Amino acid sequence: MSMLITLFVVLVAVAISELVARLLPRISSTYFNLLFGILLAAWPLTNQYIPSFDNDFLWS
């Protein structure tokens, strides 16, 4: 379930960044996508939806 929530949050962020990019056509949408990705990663509320990386997954 956390993967679906994560996917939903990322899709909403991409949709919002694309809308902002259309409002400001002089700036590339790639920069807005990067900015929203950085903001999502830095926002503590979204950290609980990001699954933790288990590097022992294949070796156990």
Side-chain angles (χ1 to χ4, degrees):
M1 186 67 178
S2 67
M3 191 61 88
L4 289 176
I5 293 172
T6 304
L7 181 63
F8 179 73
V9 169
V10 169
L11 288 176
V12 168
V14 169
I16 291 171
S17 68
E18 288 296 323
L19 287 174
V20 172
R22 287 181 186 226
L23 292 174
L24 301 169
R26 299 183 101 195
I27 302 172
S28 176
S29 66
T30 305
Y31 294 124
F32 288 112
N33 288 335
L34 285 171
L35 177 67
F36 275 86
I38 291 169
L39 290 175
L40 274 178
W43 193 23
L45 182 64
T46 58
N47 287 339
Q48 65 185 351
Y49 296 121
I50 299 171
S52 61
F53 179 71
D54 185 14
N55 59 353
D56 292 333
F57 181 75
L58 295 176
W59 306 109
S60 55

